[in-house]
Amino acid sequence: MKILVAVKRVVDYNVKVRCKTDGSDVDVANVKMSMNPFDEIAVEEAVRLKEAGKASEIVVASLGVKQCEETLRTALAMGADRAIHVETDTELQPLAVAKLLKALADKEQPQLVILGKQAIDDDANQTGQMLAALMNAPQGTFASKVELAGDKVNVTREIDGGLETVSLSLPAIVTTDLRLNEPRYVKLPNIMAAKKKPLDKTTPAELGVDAAPRLKTLKVAEPPVRKAGIKVASVAELVAKLKNEAKVI
Amino acid sequence: MSILVIAEHDNGSLKAATLNTVTAAQKIGGDIHVLVAGHNAAAAAQAAAQIAGVAKVLLADAAHLGHQLAENVTPVVVELARGYSHVLAPATTHGKNLLPRVAALLDVAQISDVIAVESADTFVRPIYAGNVIATVQSSDAIKLMTVRTTAFDAAATGGSATVESIGAGSDAGKSSFVSQELTKSSRPELGAAKIIVSGGRALASSEQFHGVLEPLADKLGAAIGASRAAVDAGYAPNDYQVGQTGKIVAPQLYLAVGISGAIQHLAGMKDSKVIVAINKDEEAPIFQVADYGLVADLFTAVPELIAELNK
Ligand SMILES: Cc1cc2nc3c(=O)[nH]c(=O)nc-3n(C[C@H](O)[C@H](O)[C@H](O)COP(=O)(O)OP(=O)(O)OC[C@H]3O[C@@H](n4cnc5c(N)ncnc54)[C@H](O)[C@@H]3O)c2cc1C
């Protein structure tokens, strides 16, 4: 069984981004970039399925600028077999990404596509669901457990009230939540070996997809900062403040 | 303009998130219809009909919609959506699961987590864990968006819209519900609570998480939340997680107990009216957003706090 995993290159989760002074966009020049943490979980899940003998091949795809190659190499070092880079400098929004992944899925015919539930830059939480729609496939979003069972996959989902398990016929789309697994630490020999794994290139034009953005960002701004509070010296003072000053209890 | 709001419900009752979403729809302006898709969901539809400002409730009722699987609800919404200028769903796990699937089939972009409406085509949403606020404009014929419920007040009740039954489509046959494990609690829902007591890694075990925080939550009539670290470690169930990738809350009072204040956590609670932090590290970043900070060991401070509240 073949698994397709999508990985996005994003600003590292430890970086607090700033806006450009003209408010046109976020300033990402010279900040540390990493694989979206949810996508690391997606790669890890695919690798575990392969290690368990349930998957035969893992294809990993990334879409965007040249440097996405680094993200793909990381995924290869984690255990993916080969990579596809859809290279473009256009701003890619979730619908375009879903269309591009659909085009890749048409070629690769994976039985399972695993994506992160959201990217920590645009926080959209859309791509997996959109891809599922375009593939006319079922979706197991926000997964904390994935179990292959014959021609079905059982996915336990983190929902607002707790957990829900659904059974999906394959091919299916899974999006990962934080509790699905803990991604492995990549070792140096694997990084070296990953350099020799195949990495193919294509473009939105070659895939016949119009990837132009649909939403226009008019401006970005930093939110108002909360004004600094005070330190209280004792529990008694805290309760007095909450009762008499803040009046919330 | 006419706006379709997708109701959040469990067939028997309507969830509060629907009310906030109707308010967002009112800010756009136009006729507001509410879709209730479920099974034996007449009670939820009746409740939706009582929201002030709702012109009509559409009820799609069939067995295959009972668990509101995205594969089965999507065709119902796609079919309806073409008659509306806007389709709104709350940014709950249900709304987030469903709406992008609808958007892709309509070939329109979705705007996630809207926190303000600037005009009928321009909306405000947080990105980068709320560290940046973006204003975005959509040129799509139908605007699809999920609404951050904490950013909009609940719509009033007292309306009396008509409930109209509509076609429910058929089972897509690609997915089925197996089971669910809902966290049982007599406490208020996190999203609707006025006071939240939230615990972090410092609680160090499930026993202590519950043993220390529950008496305080009971005393205050509060909901309980948690940091990702506390959930990952198994001290608290997943649906307690507050943050960028968990629940977004904005109560009157948020008490962060043994939580450091990582940006991903702050993203979920920094719009709370009053924030209290109890942390033994005076340098902890949570103090930068706390209105009242107490530098103390939580294992002595929390029992003291309960005693003080009992006075
Ligand atoms: C992709 C991604 C998504 C994430 N999403 C979320 C999210 O949605 N929500 C979220 O919360 N996090 C999220 N995180 C994790 C986040 O980065 C932090 O790791 C997490 O919030 C830390 O939890 P914590 O504050 O409980 O633990 P820690 O950072 O370990 O803090 C524990 C705190 O307890 C204090 N302490 C210890 N002992 C005591 C004591 N006896 N008394 C008082 N204080 C004490 C310490 O001083 C410390 O400040 C995410 C991370 C990633 C990468």
Side-chain angles (χ1 to χ4, degrees):
Chain A
M1 188 187 81
K2 194 192 274 187
I3 304 179
L4 175 65
V5 181
V7 296
K8 184 176 185 183
R9 178 178 181 266
V10 298
V11 172
D12 187 83
Y13 78 96
N14 273 314
V15 174
K16 189 164 180 213
V17 294
R18 300 251 162 252
C19 296
K20 288 182 183 162
T21 45
D22 67 359
S24 62
D25 205 348
V26 175
D27 191 357
V28 294
N30 305 317
V31 304
K32 185 178 177 216
M33 305 294 284
S34 302
M35 188 190 300
N36 179 40
F38 288 98
D39 304 348
E40 279 183 30
I41 296 172
V43 176
E44 177 66 33
E45 193 64 15
V47 173
R48 288 188 191 188
L49 287 169
K50 190 176 172 198
E51 286 170 347
K54 302 218 160 110
S56 50
E57 189 186 20
I58 302 165
V59 181
V60 60
S62 191
L63 296 67
V65 296
K66 170 110 180 75
Q67 293 89 329
C68 291
E69 279 175 22
E70 295 162 19
T71 316
L72 287 168
R73 290 290 171 204
T74 306
L76 292 169
M78 287 177 75
D81 297 297
R82 60 188 172 87
I84 304 173
H85 179 198
V86 182
E87 191 168 341
T88 172
D89 290 334
T90 329
E91 178 206 338
L92 292 176
Q93 293 179 350
L95 183 61
V97 174
K99 289 179 180 180
L100 291 165
L101 291 173
K102 161 73 165 64
L104 293 180
D106 284 345
K107 287 189 186 204
E108 297 287 341
Q109 297 290 319
Q111 288 295 96
L112 199 60
V113 185
I114 314 182
L115 307 88
K117 78 164 179 182
Q118 81 191 64
I120 59 165
D121 50 5
D122 63 17
D123 282 332
N125 195 333
Q126 300 174 7
T127 306
Q129 297 88 312
M130 288 180 159
L131 175 62
L134 298 176
M135 287 175 65
N136 191 24
Q139 63 193 46
T141 52
F142 328 143
S144 66
K145 197 169 163 200
V146 174
E147 275 179 331
L148 284 164
D151 59 353
K152 293 215 154 54
V153 59
N154 287 331
V155 180
T156 301
R157 310 177 52 231
E158 294 200 358
I159 57 168
D160 285 337
L163 296 169
E164 176 191 75
T165 302
V166 289
S167 168
L168 313 174
S169 54
L170 298 176
I173 279 70
V174 166
T175 75
T176 62
D177 216 318
L178 296 167
R179 259 68 62 181
L180 183 57
N181 61 50
E182 221 173 287
R184 69 196 58 200
Y185 187 75
V186 181
K187 297 192 194 78
L188 190 62
N190 296 346
I191 295 174
M192 301 311 287
K195 292 190 175 146
K196 298 200 189 79
K197 291 186 180 176
L199 191 159
D200 292 332
K201 294 246 177 197
T202 183
T203 62
E206 274 175 28
L207 294 169
V209 172
D210 173 8
R214 297 288 188 84
L215 297 176
K216 193 167 145 202
T217 300
L218 301 182
K219 65 168 190 226
V220 297
E222 280 159 34
V225 280
R226 271 187 93 94
K227 70 169 174 34
I230 57 158
K231 292 248 170 69
V232 290
S234 67
V235 166
E237 188 188 348
L238 174 62
V239 171
K241 293 277 187 202
L242 291 176
K243 280 192 173 148
N244 308 324
E245 196 176 84
K247 300 191 166 61
V248 285
I249 57 170
Chain B
M1 279 190 303
S2 52
I3 304 171
L4 182 66
V5 169
I6 317 243
E8 178 93 4
H9 68 93
D10 60 5
N11 297 317
S13 65
L14 191 74
K15 299 281 164 150
T18 315
L19 301 175
N20 308 95
T21 310
V22 166
T23 299
Q26 285 166 340
K27 305 253 176 203
I28 298 168
D31 256 9
I32 300 171
H33 297 175
V34 174
L35 170 68
V36 174
H39 185 42
N40 295 331
Q46 277 311 326
Q50 281 158 29
I51 305 173
V54 170
K56 189 156 70 175
V57 175
L58 304 169
L59 173 63
D61 202 308
H64 67 277
L65 298 178
H67 292 289
Q68 300 180 55
L69 296 170
E71 295 77 13
N72 290 346
V73 179
T74 296
V76 177
V77 182
V78 168
E79 179 77 25
L80 281 176
R82 300 187 209 277
Y84 292 89
S85 57
H86 299 75
V87 180
L88 276 61
T92 52
T93 50
H94 178 245
K96 290 174 182 174
N97 185 44
L98 174 69
L99 210 63
R101 193 169 174 106
V102 174
L105 295 182
L106 293 170
D107 194 26
V108 301
Q110 178 191 300
I111 306 155
S112 295
D113 261 312
V114 168
I115 56 168
V117 174
E118 298 262 287
S119 72
D121 69 358
T122 305
F123 307 92
V124 180
R125 63 176 302 259
I127 53 176
Y128 288 93
N131 285 310
V132 177
I133 305 298
T135 305
V136 297
Q137 188 175 37
S138 162
S139 54
D140 285 317
I142 310 171
K143 275 104 184 136
L144 260 68
M145 68 201 78
T146 59
V147 171
R148 180 168 289 194
T149 53
T150 53
F152 298 90
D153 293 334
T157 50
S160 56
T162 51
V163 178
E164 189 181 299
S165 284
I166 59 160
S170 57
D171 190 345
K174 292 184 178 287
S175 56
S176 57
F177 171 85
V178 176
S179 62
Q180 65 183 17
E181 223 177 285
L182 299 183
T183 306
K184 285 185 203 69
S185 165
S186 51
R187 293 198 181 78
E189 249 182 75
L190 258 184
K194 290 202 165 56
I195 302 181
I196 294 174
V197 173
S198 209
R201 195 196 310 267
L203 273 304
S205 72
S206 173
E207 292 70 36
Q208 296 191 100
F209 187 95
H210 295 283
V212 171
L213 298 184
E214 276 173 10
L216 178 59
D218 288 343
K219 181 69 213 164
L220 292 167
I224 300 185
S227 72
R228 172 191 174 180
V231 176
D232 281 4
Y235 310 159
N238 65 279
D239 51 302
Y240 280 32
Q241 184 183 314
V242 170
Q244 178 189 14
T245 62
K247 289 205 173 103
I248 310 290
V249 299
Q252 293 291 303
L253 173 62
Y254 188 91
L255 277 127
V257 180
I259 292 178
S260 62
I263 52 175
Q264 293 85 6
H265 188 78
L266 301 184
M269 45 64 80
K270 69 177 155 70
D271 292 328
S272 304
K273 183 160 173 262
V274 174
I275 297 173
V276 169
I278 301 177
N279 196 302
K280 69 177 182 190
D281 172 12
E282 63 177 321
E283 302 289 321
I286 189 77
F287 288 124
Q288 289 163 21
V289 300
D291 299 283
Y292 303 109
L294 179 65
V295 180
D297 187 316
L298 75 91
F299 294 104
T300 51
V302 173
E304 264 187 61
L305 181 53
I306 297 166
E308 187 70 27
L309 290 167
N310 278 330
K311 270 189 194 163

